[in-house]
Amino acid sequence: AADLPATRQRGILTTMGEHMITWARACTAALALLIAGCAGDLGSPTQTEPAEEPAAGTEATDGLGGLAAEPGPDRTEQLVELAREDGDPMLVYSSNPPEEFQAIIGAFEEEYGLTVEHYRAGGTDIIQRVTQEVQAGAQTADVISANDNVVYALDASEGITSPFVSEHHDAYDTDLRVSENSYPVYVNYWMWAYNTDMVDEDELPRTYEDLLDERWQGEITIARYTDWFAGMHQILGDDAEEYLDRLAAQDPLIADQFTPAILPVISQERSLTISTTSGVLAGEREGGAPIDGYFPDDPTVSRAQSVAWINDGGNPAGGLLFAEFLLHPEHGQVFMREANRVPAHDAVAADPAELRPDEFVPIDYAAFLPEQAMWESRFDQVLINR
């Protein structure tokens, strides 16, 4: 992996996507320092209007910065021509499972006759690699597709990502944009799921307050995602501390990630998880598990997987073209739906449609990342070391 030869060893890391969080925890201190160093300039995690001009220093000699800011009717054709003239394969760094992303890459290569190389890794590894490459003046990725904490960190630290305005800009909810230099590709909304052999639909909890009923004592599982914990504070405000203390008194089982949180529900060790996503739920149901999911009546926490572009890679024109392919309602967004994701494009229906909640609150990474170590500690104090 350190050498990344011409083939760039696509898929050299085969750990599944959820392991990104485990690696991230191992490097929490380093990541917190990286973000804290620029915390004073972080600002809002979303943008209400597209950038009119590329940031100073981001426009390459080929004028791509200006082209990126103007999604005109012939931009795609111009990007294809420039990418083919460049001749180099474009490099994509992502945390998506290889089998999921290879389908998208194959369709892109067939559509445009261009070559994509895919380096797949966990989020902290992506942050470290890109940052080291930029500091060394080495060629880096053309496209980053990863969870919002990764994309925001790269945008906030040293302005590594480059501004672009998608031709589909108006179809993407500004509340889901973690930075002005990125767009959401799909969204993970925290769902609740229950064992259908153990719980009748009419007795399900529907609100956060319902979870405190004695019926759910010793029956709940929660995945240890500290950004979810911070998101609950966003939702509950001043009542968060008291509520989470009361939830801890329900003796929830704390699991590392989404899949370990749902497995005790499938095995009937517990009957309810408040930590799953559409992809995890669909995979278990397709395997025959007696499981079903739903959203609470209260707002739920959300975290997107976003795409960002770097105008300094091996084939930046091809990179911008690939980013737009991911955001296209007839290309990347369809692949997201087929992979049991919830597409971020507002005209591409989730399958089933109920996978989009009525109310959600995106995690505020501008506030969370500089204080990630504190949130880690608070999660453990409240829900584990109680």
Side-chain angles (χ1 to χ4, degrees), residues 17-18 20-21 95-97 100 146-149 176 184-192 225 227-228 258 275-281 295 300-306 336 339-344 355-357 359-363 365:
E18 288 180 350
M20 181 186 69
I21 302 301
S95 55
N96 293 71
E100 178 178 299
N147 277 338
D148 275 353
N149 59 317
L176 291 173
V185 177
Y186 65 83
V187 189
N188 282 323
Y189 300 103
W190 260 251
M191 299 182 70
W192 298 0
Y225 289 99
D227 49 1
W228 166 84
F258 289 126
S275 297
T276 196
T277 66
S278 60
V280 173
L281 180 64
F295 291 108
T300 193
V301 174
S302 72
R303 177 182 66 196
Q305 170 113 348
S306 294
M336 290 298 104
N340 297 315
R341 307 292 189 181
V342 181
L355 291 178
R356 278 196 178 106
E359 295 184 84
F360 63 92
V361 174
I363 296 166
Y365 283 104

Side-chain angles (χ1 to χ4, degrees), residues 231-379:
M232 288 295 291
H233 280 74
Q234 291 176 234
I235 291 172
L236 298 173
D238 293 340
D239 297 328
E241 293 291 340
E242 179 185 357
Y243 174 82
L244 290 166
D245 282 339
R246 295 172 66 196
L247 183 63
Q250 291 290 72
D251 191 29
L253 185 155
I254 307 301
D256 254 2
Q257 297 152 358
F258 289 126
T259 296
I262 205 172
L263 290 179
V265 180
I266 294 170
S267 67
Q268 299 192 2
E269 179 183 350
R270 299 285 174 118
S271 60
L272 176 74
T273 181
I274 59 172
S275 297
T276 196
T277 66
S278 60
V280 173
L281 180 64
E284 298 299 337
R285 291 187 65 180
E286 288 171 0
I291 199 88
D292 203 357
Y294 66 103
F295 291 108
D297 294 340
D298 297 325
T300 193
V301 174
S302 72
R303 177 182 66 196
Q305 170 113 348
S306 294
V307 61
W309 173 59
I310 299 178
N311 189 5
D312 195 27
N315 192 331
L320 181 55
L321 188 67
F322 188 82
E324 286 284 56
F325 191 80
L326 286 176
L327 300 172
H328 198 290
E330 296 178 2
H331 296 306
Q333 293 297 286
V334 173
F335 279 100
M336 290 298 104
R337 180 174 62 195
E338 292 175 350
N340 297 315
R341 307 292 189 181
V342 181
H345 193 292
D346 63 13
V348 181
D351 184 19
E354 292 76 17
L355 291 178
R356 278 196 178 106
D358 292 333
E359 295 184 84
F360 63 92
V361 174
I363 296 166
D364 182 357
Y365 283 104
F368 170 76
L369 286 175
E371 298 184 331
Q372 182 172 353
M374 179 273 291
W375 288 113
E376 295 270 353
S377 176
R378 289 175 67 177
F379 184 104

Side-chain angles (χ1 to χ4, degrees), residues 29-291:
L31 179 57
L33 289 173
L34 173 68
I35 303 303
C38 56
D41 298 322
L42 292 182
S44 170
T46 60
Q47 177 189 13
T48 58
E49 296 293 338
E52 294 183 359
E53 297 291 340
T58 61
E59 185 169 349
T61 56
D62 57 10
L64 267 178
L67 188 60
E70 296 292 339
D74 60 346
R75 184 171 75 172
T76 296
E77 289 73 16
Q78 292 181 63
L79 291 174
V80 172
E81 181 178 354
L82 288 169
R84 289 174 178 171
E85 288 177 357
D86 186 291
D88 288 338
M90 64 219 62
L91 177 59
V92 178
Y93 287 1
S94 87
S95 55
N96 293 71
E99 66 278 5
E100 178 178 299
F101 223 62
Q102 289 305 319
I104 297 173
I105 289 172
F108 176 86
E109 292 178 333
E110 182 178 354
E111 180 79 13
Y112 297 117
L114 298 167
T115 301
V116 178
E117 294 179 346
H118 179 210
Y119 173 71
R120 191 264 175 166
T124 299
D125 186 71
I126 290 175
I127 293 172
Q128 293 174 338
R129 176 173 289 278
V130 173
T131 302
Q132 290 168 1
E133 288 169 343
V134 170
Q135 290 173 345
Q139 178 177 309
T140 189
D142 301 296
V143 176
I144 306 295
S145 179
N147 277 338
D148 275 353
N149 59 317
V150 176
V151 171
Y152 187 80
L154 291 174
D155 181 54
S157 60
E158 302 179 27
I160 289 175
T161 61
S162 304
F164 75 100
V165 179
S166 172
E167 63 179 289
H168 310 289
H169 173 85
D170 291 342
Y172 286 88
D173 188 341
T174 56
D175 287 341
L176 291 173
R177 292 186 64 187
V178 74
S179 79
E180 65 180 18
N181 290 354
S182 67
Y183 287 87
V185 177
Y186 65 83
V187 189
N188 282 323
Y189 300 103
W190 260 251
M191 299 182 70
W192 298 0
Y194 64 101
N195 188 304
T196 55
D197 291 339
M198 299 177 69
V199 182
D200 293 331
E201 187 174 356
D202 60 4
E203 64 175 322
L204 289 172
R206 297 292 177 179
T207 66
Y208 293 122
E209 189 66 25
D210 289 347
L211 294 175
L212 305 180
D213 188 276
E214 63 181 2
R215 164 69 176 83
W216 306 108
Q217 176 75 30
E219 294 293 328
I220 299 169
T221 75
I222 300 173
R224 188 184 178 275
Y225 289 99
T226 52
D227 49 1
W228 166 84
F229 188 77
M232 288 295 291
H233 280 74
Q234 291 176 234
I235 291 172
L236 298 173
D238 293 340
D239 297 328
E241 293 291 340
E242 179 185 357
Y243 174 82
L244 290 166
D245 282 339
R246 295 172 66 196
L247 183 63
Q250 291 290 72
D251 191 29
L253 185 155
I254 307 301
D256 254 2
Q257 297 152 358
F258 289 126
T259 296
I262 205 172
L263 290 179
V265 180
I266 294 170
S267 67
Q268 299 192 2
E269 179 183 350
R270 299 285 174 118
S271 60
L272 176 74
T273 181
I274 59 172
S275 297
T276 196
T277 66
S278 60
V280 173
L281 180 64
E284 298 299 337
R285 291 187 65 180
E286 288 171 0
I291 199 88

